[in-house]
Amino acid sequence: MDRESRNAPSVSDAESASDGHYWWQRLRESDADALAYFYDQHADWLLRYGLSVIYERAIVKDAVQELFLVIWNSRHTLSAPKSVRFYLMASLRRLILKNVRTDLRLCDPVEDMADIVTTDSAEEMHQAVQKAVRSLPARQQELIFLKFYQKMTYEQIEELTGLKYQILRNTIHRAMKSLRTMLTQHAVTSLTAVFLLFL
Amino acid sequence: MDYHKFEVQDFLADEHFTSWVLKPDAEHEDFWTTWIRLHPDRREVVQQARHILENIDFSETWTKTERSDMWNYIQTGTSKSGIPSGRKIQRWLRMPYAAVFALLLCAGGWFYLTSRPVRFQTPYGKQRSVTLADGSRITLNANSELTVRQDFENGAKREVWIRGEAFFDVAKMTRDGKKIPFIVHTDQLDIHVLGTAFNITNRRGRVDVALEHGSVKLVDAHNAANTILLEPGEKATQTITDALLKKEIVDVKEYSGWRRKVFQYKGKKLRELAEMIGDSYGIEVIIENEALKEETFTGSFPTDSVETFFEKLGKLYPLEIAKNGDKYYLR
């Protein structure tokens, strides 16, 4: 299902709030369709976010399954969240970090960066950036996802991750510096030249 | 801000700059175009930062198999009474015995289930939604029936049959790079779909298809040359007696509002409403006054209370409502 385009919606407009509330109410009334609805709406999004918390598909898969079981099991006591997506992301994050050993979480990239460099088409540039992002440490990937893909504000990210503004900003700064180094001067410049021709 | 001292990474970490690229508005646009004009030597640095930002993307999706595996797993967990915590299930599942057992169970279930078509039905006054193996979601209105072929998602096309009324949200599906079409059969029409959402009513020898988004092609079940392409916001009608498909522009919400437990109408003829209500609640609405039949109703009422509708109607028109068993008389 191709519902999310590249310009992904932000937390608030990811789904209409009224739909979310309607289905949340049905979930509390033990309607299994409601669980299916949320799964349908958010599964891919949770994969993307999960992979930015830990780049390991099997772990994200386990955590997403666990998340939906937890929601179902505690449906009677859950109060309706302001944003279902935000709630799911925060819960997924907790589950992943709980399940993952610390050393795994903090290990640095193993990716060989040698093959990232040359880019002479927009598509290659696009792929090169994806690759570079995925080779960053997990924490940096997560913040890039939240800030630049999900377009959250620093306040929202603080709320989700519990990290302070200064740390968030420094981590993003560090991440961006690595990105820039990986996407070498030459590569980006050549593309810029092409881009400027069209201005 | 000393923007003229900024390097690429400084721009990328700067909220003001990233807002301009990610959520452009007039204010940011003004500021940055002016700033770039005033600092031509920094133009390239800005462009580099902009490029990196614009190319940040996360596009992973679950494969069809992963998606359905996970959902099966979740459903197994939710259908048990006294469910153990998700964590316990996980460890349990990792055991090889469990895996073999699960595999056998699936295989057994598969053989059992593939032997007959699946039928989903709703009684009067009730709705139900169904998620098919391909991820398509179908909401059945009251007094309706959906039939799905067993090997539904494995064939060259996905085929279902509908009687009554339903809202379809069809998932796109490809196999080996080829789109697998989704076809809804009704009495008079076949609806060919490629990932879209629409409402179908197939009652009383008449088929209505109202399209919310995407596109569908309608093919006369008895004359394959009679086809029509529907655009979002359009509704097509085929009756037993009409030779040709007719289409018109409608408010699709009027046709799919029942999914949100609300019937919503704008200028609907009372005689049409009477039929629709009769079909949904298993009652008969008899309008004894010819002029009244052509009156229109604008408004909404909850789908679970036919009484509310009659109350509203009583306030809108100078009429008398008499009830006799399952029959309502409007005079």
Side-chain angles (χ1 to χ4, degrees):
Chain A
M1 264 165 295
D2 223 4
R3 266 178 220 150
E4 280 138 8
S5 62
R6 268 208 62 207
N7 285 325
S10 60
V11 182
S12 49
D13 59 16
E15 57 176 342
S16 87
S18 64
D19 266 19
H21 281 160
Y22 166 71
W23 286 105
W24 197 266
Q25 191 49 40
R26 288 187 60 174
L27 180 75
R28 296 185 64 181
E29 289 157 5
S30 299
D31 183 346
D33 285 345
L35 197 68
Y37 171 82
F38 289 124
Y39 180 76
D40 204 40
Q41 292 283 309
H42 302 290
D44 279 337
W45 193 271
L46 290 171
L47 171 70
R48 283 168 213 166
Y49 177 55
L51 286 179
S52 79
V53 177
I54 174 133
Y55 196 52
E56 178 109 26
R57 215 173 167 95
I59 293 177
V60 177
K61 190 174 170 183
D62 277 359
V64 170
Q65 288 173 167
E66 188 175 351
L67 170 63
F68 279 89
L69 283 174
V70 168
I71 290 175
W72 181 255
N73 293 342
S74 49
R75 63 191 179 277
H76 299 301
T77 52
L78 289 175
S79 59
K82 253 199 329 252
S83 155
V84 173
R85 174 162 289 174
F86 189 89
Y87 169 80
L88 292 176
M89 285 170 66
S91 311
L92 182 73
R93 182 176 202 275
R94 256 197 319 274
L95 287 172
I96 291 176
L97 297 184
K98 189 188 76 182
N99 289 347
V100 166
R101 294 196 315 270
T102 329
D103 54 316
L104 244 176
R105 204 189 322 158
L106 298 178
C107 75
D108 267 24
V110 282
E111 183 88 33
D112 176 15
M113 288 164 203
D115 57 342
I116 292 176
V117 280
T118 49
T119 53
D120 42 56
S121 74
E123 183 51 35
E124 279 172 34
M125 171 73 183
H126 186 64
Q127 283 175 12
V129 175
Q130 301 341 301
K131 217 165 170 188
V133 169
R134 281 307 185 204
S135 69
L136 293 171
R139 171 66 48 84
Q140 295 183 10
Q141 286 188 38
E142 182 186 2
L143 295 186
I144 290 176
F145 177 91
L146 297 174
K147 188 87 194 83
F148 301 131
Y149 184 67
Q150 177 115 31
K151 300 176 187 175
M152 285 165 97
T153 62
Y154 278 117
E155 292 89 80
Q156 286 174 315
I157 302 179
E158 276 185 349
E159 194 188 330
L160 183 73
T161 62
L163 298 171
K164 290 276 165 285
Y165 172 78
Q166 203 50 49
I167 294 176
L168 294 177
R169 209 184 169 286
N170 290 346
T171 313
I172 287 187
H173 192 266
R174 223 174 313 129
M176 290 302 148
K177 197 169 177 180
S178 323
L179 266 194
R180 200 222 140 182
T181 317
M182 277 186 265
L183 305 158
T184 58
Q185 188 78 21
H186 160 77
V188 181
T189 326
S190 69
L191 190 76
T192 308
V194 174
F195 180 76
L196 290 176
L197 282 178
F198 292 99
L199 281 178
Chain B
M1 263 318 156
D2 286 340
Y3 282 128
H4 61 279
K5 288 186 192 150
F6 266 34
E7 290 303 323
V8 171
Q9 61 270 21
D10 304 314
F11 279 117
L12 289 172
D14 182 70
E15 184 109 36
H16 193 240
F17 176 81
T18 55
S19 299
W20 171 52
V21 180
L22 297 175
K23 303 175 193 166
D25 60 30
E27 193 193 322
H28 285 109
E29 191 65 34
D30 273 0
F31 176 89
W32 285 104
T33 44
T34 311
W35 191 87
I36 293 167
R37 207 174 48 242
L38 295 175
H39 302 85
D41 56 318
R42 309 307 291 159
R43 186 188 175 114
E44 196 171 298
V45 174
V46 170
Q47 288 302 352
Q48 286 181 23
R50 212 194 145 105
H51 262 292
I52 290 178
L53 213 51
E54 282 173 340
N55 279 291
I56 286 175
D57 191 14
F58 293 79
S59 50
E60 292 92 351
T61 50
W62 297 111
T63 64
K64 276 263 144 31
T65 327
E66 278 175 326
R67 227 172 205 275
S68 58
D69 281 357
M70 288 166 66
W71 181 241
N72 286 342
Y73 176 85
I74 294 166
Q75 275 185 318
T76 318
T78 55
S79 57
K80 265 182 229 143
S81 55
I83 305 153
S85 87
R87 227 182 153 161
K88 269 185 210 152
I89 297 180
Q90 269 182 36
R91 267 196 216 121
W92 178 82
L93 247 198
R94 284 199 189 116
M95 289 163 61
Y97 295 122
V100 171
F101 178 69
L103 205 68
L104 284 173
L105 206 68
C106 288
W110 189 76
F111 281 120
Y112 171 69
L113 288 169
T114 44
S115 52
R116 63 202 163 104
V118 196
R119 196 156 286 153
F120 304 91
Q121 280 169 313
T122 48
Y124 287 118
K126 287 266 188 296
Q127 295 178 8
R128 142 171 216 198
S129 37
V130 177
T131 304
L132 301 179
D134 65 342
S136 296
R137 287 181 64 74
I138 295 153
T139 313
L140 283 174
N141 203 353
N143 179 28
S144 301
E145 183 184 275
L146 172 77
T147 308
V148 181
R149 180 174 273 176
Q150 262 311 330
D151 55 348
F152 170 73
E153 78 276 25
N154 299 322
K157 49 190 178 184
R158 299 171 281 169
E159 285 180 286
V160 302
W161 287 259
I162 189 79
R163 185 191 58 71
E165 179 161 21
F167 186 87
F168 283 78
D169 192 347
V170 174
K172 283 181 188 145
M173 182 178 173
T174 51
R175 193 185 302 123
D176 307 326
K178 271 177 67 185
K179 286 180 178 164
I180 307 294
F182 188 106
I183 299 167
V184 185
H185 299 283
T186 67
D187 297 344
Q188 271 91 248
L189 275 183
D190 292 340
I191 298 115
H192 295 240
V193 185
L194 291 161
T196 190
F198 56 94
N199 195 72
I200 298 185
T201 320
N202 176 24
R203 295 195 203 272
R204 298 167 181 260
R206 172 192 168 111
V207 183
D208 278 338
V209 182
L211 185 64
E212 197 169 279
H213 58 77
S215 74
V216 292
K217 184 182 167 194
L218 310 181
V219 183
D220 191 330
H222 310 296
N223 173 9
N226 181 18
T227 70
I228 207 168
L229 204 65
L230 217 53
E231 307 271 339
E234 287 181 340
K235 184 198 80 161
T237 304
Q238 175 83 317
T239 61
I240 295 183
T241 46
D242 283 346
L244 282 173
L245 277 155
K246 273 192 219 120
K247 78 176 179 177
E248 58 184 311
I249 292 166
V250 294
D251 182 1
V252 176
K253 274 201 214 86
E254 202 177 286
Y255 291 87
S256 50
W258 57 267
R259 274 191 314 146
R260 297 196 172 76
K261 309 275 184 202
V262 179
F263 283 124
Q264 204 179 338
Y265 292 105
K266 212 185 278 169
K268 188 90 170 168
K269 292 252 165 58
L270 283 191
R271 64 178 157 79
E272 290 175 64
L273 260 186
E275 278 184 9
M276 190 282 301
I277 286 172
D279 289 335
S280 295
Y281 299 101
I283 57 177
E284 201 173 333
V285 184
I286 299 146
I287 306 175
E288 297 191 322
N289 174 342
E290 284 305 315
L292 200 56
K293 283 187 187 170
E294 300 306 312
E295 287 286 353
T296 57
F297 175 86
T298 297
S300 56
F301 56 95
T303 58
D304 52 3
S305 164
V306 72
E307 302 301 335
T308 313
F309 166 69
F310 286 116
E311 262 169 44
K312 275 199 176 179
L313 212 57
K315 282 181 193 151
L316 282 170
Y317 302 101
L319 50 78
E320 190 192 319
I321 300 165
K323 191 185 169 192
N324 181 7
D326 281 345
K327 292 192 170 110
Y328 286 76
Y329 296 90
L330 307 183
R331 37 177 96 104

